Amino acid sequence: MIASRTPVSLHSLLVAGGHGKRCVAGAGGRKRGRVQRRHLTQALESFWRHAPRPAPPAAAARGEANRSWQPPPLENPAFEEYYKEQRIVREEEWDDFISVLRKPLPATFRINASSQFFKDICSKLENDFKIYLESEVSDEYGEDAIRPLPWYPGNLAWHLNFSRKQLRKNQALESFHEFLKHESEVGNITRQEAVSMVPPLFLNIQPDHHVLDTPGSKTFQLLEMIHQSKEPGLLPRALVVANDVNAQRCDLLIHNMKRMCTANLIVTNHEAQNFPDCRIANDLSEIYKKDCKPQRLEFDRVLCDVPCSGDGTIRKGHDMWRKWNSGMGNGLHLLQVDISMRGIALLKVGGRMVYSTCSMNPVENEAVIAELLRRSGNSVELLDVSNELPELVHRPGLSTWKVQDKGSWFQNHDDVPCDRKNVILPSMFPSNKSIQEGQSVCDDIEVNTGSNGSFSRNFSIEKTNKVYCDTDGISNSNTTKHSDSTPNSTSSNFPLHRCMRIVPHDQDSGAFFIAVLHKLSPLHECQMVEVTKTEVLDDDESLEEQKKISIDAHTSEDSNLTEVALVTDDVKNDQAESGNRMNKLQDQCKWKGVDPVLFFRDLTVIKSIVSFFAINISFPLEGHLVTRSADPNNARRIYYVSKSVQEILQLNVEVGEQLKIASLGLKMFETHRSKDGCPCAYRLSYEGLPLLLPYISKRILCASPNDFLRLLQYRTVNFAHFINARFGEEAASLIPGCCVVILREGHQNLDLGSITMDPTTIAIVCWRGKATLNAMVSPPDRKELLERITQRFGLKALRVEEENPRRQN
């Protein structure tokens, strides 16, 4: 018999210890007792050390799950059957199409052309990383491992032959991955799927346009466009209103927009289909009078990147293979029509709206566009923009399709069973019937006329369904308008071939759908229809589940792909009363849980700031400063807004704060807690410095590259420890408080008059303390500036541990 290596049982040890304890008597007994207890302790330690320990149930379950986990299969028979039946690609292309869908999506990113260092980034990509990657990974990822997207203007968008997962895992790509992460953090690049970059390019944004982005998925790209169009040193006249129904997503949007440093953005939190128009005049003729004061909120451009089923993102969201079903698109169709009609109502005559989805489903795409054209009549036309981006490979929209419900296919609404006619709507089919015309078979839907012009109905989706709104795509292979028509099928009479479908296997991308609409005349009151909210119950869903539809809000680190929460929120827009209400609204916010937006009107403080920094009168502060503090007299932060944003804020006050504003403006000034005797209660914000710098003439120091580098490295430097003694003396001569340090380049001298203030000027906000100068720059911005300066001037950035000015004699 083989002896067991397992120690004796715990019970036997305890019994032995007990007997030993009872037999102790006298001095010798006490000694033997101590020895026995020591042996018992050692035995217990040995027992616990060697005895097998059962894993906690949860941990054991996780371990078992990890061992049994397998990647989800990249197949779904229902998915393949659906899109084969819809003929989104030709039969001979199907194998190529489905094969590409199962491959990882290549990573892509976009350079921010309004960034101060975008030329440096372009140079580094072209001269460093492109050459390096081609030599290191060309065998694995091909010769063009990294290349500009040919259809994106200015070579500002780049395509990588490897996925984001491969980018993270491959050691040869580590330095490039770190480069992308850092530049993304400071706002110089945006990592975004290629097809997601397409819709804003068809808006044709001009320098004075007001743009609505709903939901706010392409906001950063839109802001880049309006800032590129501005004159040097001036704020653009254009603005972007980014709207999202989900508060958490708004917060994420606000966080990302801090990288943009713009005074031309308003972030709002509304249901897109109920976005307020802030109308002052009730008579439409009054609204369109040529008056410098806006009478309602209208936009020159509207981007409707609507919530969708998101199956165009299937290359990067492999879970979509398991979760996809045809009901996802059917459930979202009405919401998509609703949001798009609201967008048209808010669009100015002559304006352009882009409708886009990251879905391949014609019910979410062509069917929605056909319904918009039906309801808008001659007020809207569908544009052919196929020649605007000639390098972009795309295909025309479908003119015929079918609708599937619970496994059954229907070619027209008449074939739908009576108990499903309120779920499968007439507008889903390629016929000329609209939702209103099909009212006779949809008994629970009432059509009403309302001034809001909104169109809404509660809808149901299975809880497992995910709604994507933002970056992904669509596909199609029609070469002629009726090329995919089948016998007995119905074709649309609208020119849907003008829509654009992007197919994954055409240019190794995701799938996307885009349609561009042009508003020819105002919508008539009869066209601005509001459908009252009706509860549409599916077989296994309760009324309570219908009342609130929540789709997990989620934003991927690697892309703008998001899942958006849609929560019905019956918020009634109060009408404006009289002008005396404006003062009352300045004291409190109408929206619960939202900080008020208050104009900062303390002239004493404003004059103190202007005097302290000698801000030129050509840069107006009065009327352009706002705060989110409930007590404007003790505002911690003051934000600057452009003229166009200011006008919308004033309009919003007049109409009773119909806009629920989550964020706006550029942080320009902040309070400080210094006790150094500074006469100005506010300091400059680094975010607002690029805008304000050309208009400041006091509190400015000019540093050599070595001293500028030293200030960035150590953040706090004694006046006597600067390399250039004159610079230290000038810093010491300032009275305590905030100041600006500008980098002197080339052969410029230290005189401020020799420095040209333009967008390329490198400057930081500092604090002149009692005996030191302190750089007030965030770690990411500090790191970026250190890299740029060391590369540009060939300097070595020493670590703080190598040399600490505080320890110098």
Side-chain angles (χ1 to χ4, degrees):
M1 180 182 290
I2 300 177
S4 173
R5 298 181 60 185
T6 305
V8 294
S9 69
L10 177 62
H11 175 73
S12 62
L13 288 173
L14 291 174
V15 171
H19 288 312
K21 199 170 184 178
R22 282 194 297 269
C23 69
V24 172
R30 285 194 296 271
K31 183 176 181 181
R32 285 193 302 273
R34 286 195 298 270
V35 172
Q36 288 173 342
R37 285 194 295 273
R38 185 168 65 248
H39 290 167
L40 175 61
T41 302
Q42 293 171 349
L44 286 170
E45 290 176 352
S46 176
F47 176 83
W48 291 116
R49 189 164 53 247
H50 297 290
R53 300 182 186 180
R62 285 195 300 270
E64 185 65 28
N66 289 337
R67 285 193 295 272
S68 62
W69 182 86
Q70 296 293 332
L74 304 184
E75 58 183 21
N76 183 327
F79 174 88
E80 296 192 36
E81 181 215 346
Y82 185 84
Y83 284 116
K84 277 184 177 179
E85 189 71 22
Q86 299 289 17
R87 301 191 176 200
I88 62 169
V89 297
R90 293 185 295 268
E91 187 176 350
E92 59 269 24
E93 291 182 271
W94 181 262
D95 290 342
D96 292 337
F97 167 71
I98 207 72
S99 174
V100 169
L101 288 184
R102 293 188 173 111
K103 294 179 180 178
L105 182 70
T108 50
F109 64 90
R110 192 185 70 255
I111 302 171
N112 179 4
S114 62
S115 165
Q116 186 177 26
F117 303 108
F118 92 94
K119 290 183 179 179
D120 294 340
I121 296 170
C122 292
S123 175
K124 193 165 187 176
L125 286 170
E126 289 279 2
N127 302 324
D128 296 341
F129 283 118
K130 196 171 189 294
I131 297 171
Y132 167 76
L133 292 175
E134 286 177 356
S135 63
E136 292 294 325
V137 298
S138 58
D139 294 339
E140 187 175 357
Y141 299 112
E143 293 184 2
D144 291 329
I146 174 174
R147 65 181 186 275
L149 288 169
W151 47 266
Y152 200 95
N155 285 348
L156 293 176
W158 288 70
H159 171 100
L160 314 177
N161 275 358
F162 33 85
S163 69
R164 303 189 177 201
K165 183 177 180 180
Q166 292 166 331
L167 181 62
R168 291 192 297 267
K169 300 295 184 182
N170 194 323
Q171 290 295 321
L173 302 173
E174 184 178 1
S175 61
F176 184 58
H177 185 219
E178 290 299 320
F179 165 79
L180 292 179
K181 285 198 301 182
H182 173 68
E183 298 299 342
S184 177
E185 185 179 9
V186 296
N188 291 330
I189 69 167
T190 300
R191 294 192 281 177
Q192 183 180 5
E193 187 176 344
V195 291
S196 177
M197 306 176 194
V198 175
L201 299 178
F202 287 113
L203 284 173
N204 189 24
I205 294 175
Q206 300 301 313
D208 59 345
H209 278 171
H210 289 197
V211 184
L212 174 62
D213 181 19
T214 180
S217 55
K218 310 289 189 296
T219 306
F220 205 101
Q221 190 176 358
L222 295 171
L223 287 170
E224 289 174 17
M225 292 177 174
I226 70 171
H227 280 276
Q228 279 181 267
S229 65
K230 70 175 182 178
E231 299 177 26
L234 297 177
L235 269 178
R237 289 170 292 167
L239 70 84
V240 175
V241 175
N243 177 72
D244 206 294
V245 67
N246 184 268
Q248 287 75 27
R249 186 172 151 82
C250 281
D251 291 339
L252 181 63
L253 176 64
I254 294 165
H255 174 75
N256 291 335
M257 289 308 108
K258 288 180 180 179
R259 302 176 297 155
M260 190 65 202
C261 299
T262 179
N264 298 68
L265 171 68
I266 300 176
V267 179
T268 59
N269 180 209
H270 290 279
E271 285 183 326
Q273 65 270 34
N274 296 317
F275 193 90
D277 61 6
C278 299
R279 181 186 301 183
I280 294 178
N282 292 322
D283 185 359
L284 286 176
S285 61
E286 293 293 325
I287 292 173
Y288 294 102
K289 282 184 177 180
K290 292 184 179 179
D291 191 345
C292 59
K293 184 178 179 180
Q295 298 295 301
R296 63 170 293 188
L297 188 58
E298 289 185 303
F299 298 92
D300 302 278
R301 297 291 186 264
V302 175
L303 179 57
C304 273
D305 194 40
V306 296
C308 66
S309 59
D311 54 22
T313 70
I314 202 166
R315 294 185 66 181
K316 64 179 178 181
H318 288 169
D319 204 36
M320 179 65 70
W321 287 101
R322 178 180 63 86
K323 295 186 175 182
W324 185 92
N325 65 78
S326 61
M328 296 166 68
N330 294 346
L332 285 165
H333 169 83
L334 190 56
L335 177 68
Q336 292 160 342
V337 172
D338 196 348
I339 292 174
S340 305
M341 280 304 299
R342 190 64 187 143
I344 292 174
L346 292 167
L347 189 65
K348 289 181 182 178
V349 174
R352 178 180 284 199
M353 184 179 89
V354 172
Y355 175 91
S356 63
T357 75
C358 50
S359 168
M360 295 181 279
N361 194 338
V363 174
E364 302 179 70
N365 298 325
E366 286 89 353
V368 173
I369 298 303
E371 177 65 6
L372 297 183
L373 295 173
R374 285 188 205 102
R375 297 184 58 199
S376 302
N378 296 326
S379 296
V380 172
E381 66 173 338
L382 180 61
L383 297 180
D384 182 356
V385 293
S386 57
N387 294 325
E388 292 191 11
L389 290 178
E391 303 266 358
L392 177 67
V393 182
H394 61 273
R395 306 188 182 197
L398 298 172
S399 60
T400 183
W401 60 90
K402 301 177 183 178
V403 178
Q404 188 183 60
D405 179 51
K406 294 187 175 296
S408 300
W409 287 96
F410 305 101
Q411 293 188 354
N412 57 71
H413 192 254
D414 294 337
D415 298 335
V416 178
C418 289
D419 63 335
R420 302 296 296 169
K421 286 185 183 291
N422 268 353
V423 177
I424 305 303
L425 304 175
S427 60
M428 296 179 181
F429 295 87
S431 67
N432 293 323
K433 272 190 178 180
S434 69
I435 293 175
Q436 294 94 326
E437 291 170 356
Q439 185 188 1
S440 60
V441 295
C442 301
D443 298 330
D444 294 337
I445 297 180
E446 297 178 10
V447 179
N448 296 318
T449 300
S451 60
N452 252 1
S454 63
F455 179 81
S456 59
R457 185 197 73 178
N458 285 348
F459 63 98
S460 62
I461 327 172
E462 295 179 11
K463 289 185 177 180
T464 55
N465 293 347
K466 293 190 176 181
V467 174
Y468 294 86
C469 104
D470 176 9
T471 88
D472 311 15
I474 213 149
S475 70
N476 169 20
S477 67
N478 290 1
T479 55
T480 63
K481 182 177 176 181
H482 301 289
S483 62
D484 283 341
S485 297
T486 57
N488 301 321
S489 65
T490 304
S491 295
S492 175
N493 292 329
F494 294 109
L496 298 179
H497 61 282
R498 296 178 182 175
C499 301
M500 302 175 65
R501 283 179 164 262
I502 298 176
V503 184
H505 63 288
D506 277 346
Q507 51 201 344
D508 197 12
S509 67
F512 221 82
F513 176 87
I514 301 159
V516 182
L517 298 156
H518 177 225
K519 190 169 182 178
L520 300 172
S521 61
L523 294 178
H524 301 297
E525 286 295 332
C526 62
Q527 293 171 319
M528 300 174 69
V529 178
E530 179 176 356
V531 175
T532 58
K533 296 179 179 179
T534 44
E535 313 294 344
V536 180
L537 298 182
D538 227 336
D539 298 340
D540 55 351
E541 294 180 313
S542 67
L543 177 63
E544 193 61 32
E545 289 173 333
Q546 285 286 348
K547 288 181 179 177
K548 186 175 181 181
I549 300 152
S550 181
I551 298 105
D552 295 335
H554 163 78
T555 301
S556 169
E557 173 199 6
D558 297 328
S559 71
N560 284 354
L561 170 64
T562 54
E563 302 163 10
V564 178
L566 302 169
V567 182
T568 56
D569 181 19
D570 295 327
V571 178
K572 297 181 180 179
N573 294 327
D574 294 339
Q575 298 297 321
E577 295 179 353
S578 59
N580 60 8
R581 187 177 178 184
M582 295 178 63
N583 293 331
K584 180 180 178 181
L585 290 173
Q586 283 285 301
D587 299 328
Q588 59 185 3
C589 182
K590 164 186 171 178
W591 302 96
K592 184 178 179 180
V594 177
D595 292 331
V597 179
L598 307 175
F599 282 102
F600 188 82
R601 305 185 188 278
D602 191 328
L603 295 181
T604 302
V605 172
I606 294 175
K607 289 179 181 179
S608 171
I609 293 173
V610 170
S611 174
F612 191 69
F613 296 103
I615 300 174
N616 195 290
I617 58 172
S618 62
F619 188 86
L621 292 183
E622 292 183 36
H624 290 267
L625 299 180
V626 298
T627 178
R628 304 305 300 266
S629 174
D631 181 6
N633 295 323
N634 294 305
R636 291 186 57 191
R637 301 177 184 89
I638 301 175
Y639 299 85
Y640 188 87
V641 297
S642 66
K643 178 67 174 176
S644 52
V645 172
Q646 177 201 43
E647 291 175 351
I648 289 182
L649 287 180
Q650 291 173 337
L651 173 64
N652 189 43
V653 170
E654 290 186 42
V655 298
E657 284 192 330
Q658 292 182 16
L659 284 178
K660 184 180 180 182
I661 297 175
S663 177
L664 80 168
L666 177 63
K667 186 167 67 174
M668 188 72 76
F669 306 108
E670 297 181 83
T671 56
H672 62 80
R673 299 178 181 178
S674 173
K675 298 180 180 179
D676 294 336
C678 176
C680 183
Y682 287 83
R683 67 173 179 86
L684 298 174
S685 167
Y686 183 70
E687 294 175 22
L689 181 61
L691 178 61
L692 189 59
L693 181 59
Y695 304 94
I696 297 177
S697 56
K698 283 174 60 177
R699 309 289 300 176
I700 298 179
L701 299 171
C702 188
S704 67
N706 284 308
D707 281 331
F708 199 90
L709 186 66
R710 173 169 291 226
L711 193 54
L712 286 172
Q713 264 185 285
Y714 305 114
R715 299 187 64 184
T716 299
V717 182
N718 192 286
F719 299 141
H721 296 158
F722 286 107
I723 297 172
N724 188 301
R726 179 184 168 188
F727 175 75
E729 292 170 359
E730 290 180 350
S733 67
L734 293 175
I735 61 174
C738 182
C739 63
V740 177
V741 176
I742 296 177
L743 172 65
R744 172 176 61 86
E745 300 192 44
H747 299 287
Q748 296 171 333
N749 57 42
L750 290 177
D751 294 330
L752 184 60
S754 65
I755 303 296
T756 302
M757 302 289 189
D758 59 40
T760 64
T761 303
I762 298 177
I764 58 174
V765 175
C766 294
W767 185 267
R768 191 277 194 199
K770 291 182 178 179
T772 60
L773 198 61
N774 309 284
M776 308 183 77
V777 187
S778 68
D781 291 322
R782 183 169 161 240
K783 179 183 178 182
E784 180 189 27
L785 289 171
L786 281 169
E787 290 180 358
R788 305 293 180 211
I789 294 170
T790 53
Q791 291 172 6
R792 185 175 298 184
F793 297 99
L795 302 175
K796 179 184 178 182
L798 300 177
R799 293 185 178 181
V800 176
E801 292 80 11
E802 296 180 39
E803 180 185 2
N804 191 335
R806 292 181 179 179
R807 297 178 182 175
Q808 294 176 0
N809 295 326

